[in-house]
Amino acid sequence: MNKTTLYPTTKDGCQWYIIDADSKTLGRLATEAARILLGKNSPKYNPSRDIGNGLIIINAEKIQVTGKKETDKFYRRHSGQVGGMTIETLSELRNRMPGRVIEKAIKGMLPKGPLGRHLFTKLKVYKGSEHPHRAQQPTTVNI
């Protein structure tokens, strides 16, 4: 008798998690966040499916980095015009948009393609300790 594999769907009860980024290392936080978004912390994990995990990160401005990454790590973006490349350091980007540093680190660890883009929409990063997702009753994750 053949057994049918049951694949979880996002309607099976999506679980929300919350991480406080205060004094956490950027890379270690990003790897744990990517694992949660992919669902690797769940027994229902399937690498080709979204199991519906959502993630909230608070206190994004208090993230730590090691070494000389504050001045030596660069973020590039291009406007599409000739000579339109803008380069800024990690400290400049952190001052301008503190959540973007964490978003870029996590997005680089997600799968490339439609699944990774969909998983990235479930990530919410906030500057302070307040967030508008109280109704989801997020579970606190200690890293």
Side-chain angles (χ1 to χ4, degrees):
M1 175 186 252
N2 293 336
K3 292 188 177 184
T4 303
T5 305
L6 297 176
Y7 292 112
T9 63
T10 56
K11 295 177 183 174
D12 286 344
C14 46
Q15 177 65 38
W16 281 79
Y17 298 92
I18 186 166
I19 297 177
D20 187 2
D22 188 12
S23 70
K24 301 286 191 294
T25 306
L26 177 62
R28 293 177 190 270
L29 174 93
T31 54
E32 188 62 31
R35 286 180 53 82
I36 291 171
L37 286 172
L38 284 165
K40 286 191 172 184
N41 61 338
S42 172
K44 298 178 184 178
Y45 171 68
N46 185 346
S48 64
R49 300 282 178 145
D50 172 27
I51 66 165
N53 285 349
L55 181 64
I56 304 161
I57 298 178
I58 58 173
N59 293 322
E61 75 280 2
K62 298 179 183 177
I63 196 78
Q64 302 290 321
V65 290
T66 59
K68 299 191 299 181
K69 292 184 187 82
E70 287 285 339
T71 56
D72 291 354
K73 184 168 178 59
F74 295 105
Y75 292 92
R76 294 173 177 84
R77 66 181 189 277
H78 200 284
S79 67
Q81 300 294 322
V82 176
M85 182 177 284
T86 304
I87 300 174
E88 56 188 345
T89 63
L90 187 138
S91 61
E92 292 169 351
L93 182 60
R94 183 189 292 189
N95 290 336
R96 191 170 63 88
M97 301 174 90
R100 187 63 53 91
V101 174
I102 296 174
E103 288 174 356
K104 283 185 162 286
I106 295 170
K107 189 170 186 177
M109 295 180 184
L110 291 175
K112 309 317 182 249
L115 177 63
R117 289 190 294 272
H118 177 69
L119 292 174
F120 186 68
T121 62
K122 306 270 185 92
L123 174 67
K124 310 296 180 191
V125 182
Y126 296 101
K127 183 176 179 180
S129 60
E130 296 298 318
H131 63 88
H133 303 284
R134 301 271 184 238
Q136 280 75 25
Q137 300 171 348
T139 305
T140 303
V141 176
N142 294 324
I143 298 175

